[in-house]
Amino acid sequence: MGLIITLLIIWLILSILGFAVKGLLWLAIIGLVLLVATAVWGWVKRKARA
């Protein structure tokens, strides 16, 4: 679970950085996609254990 939290934080930082720097909009898009994918993956893994 710690790995998923770490990945979520990294993707969130990349997304914020991408939106802050105008030329790095692609980084924000990739960061958001990875953030959502990691959150869904963590949610599925958590449900599988329960």
Side-chain angles (χ1 to χ4, degrees):
M1 196 64 167
L3 175 64
I4 293 172
I5 303 262
T6 303
L7 286 174
L8 287 172
I9 292 170
I10 290 171
W11 304 147
L12 186 63
I13 291 170
L14 286 177
S15 297
I16 292 170
L17 182 65
F19 282 119
V21 180
K22 193 171 187 172
L24 295 178
L25 186 60
W26 59 271
L27 183 63
I29 294 169
I30 291 173
L32 286 175
V33 168
L34 291 173
L35 179 76
V36 170
T38 305
V40 168
W41 181 57
W43 183 70
V44 168
K45 290 288 186 179
R46 185 174 171 209
K47 288 285 188 178
R49 280 191 226 169

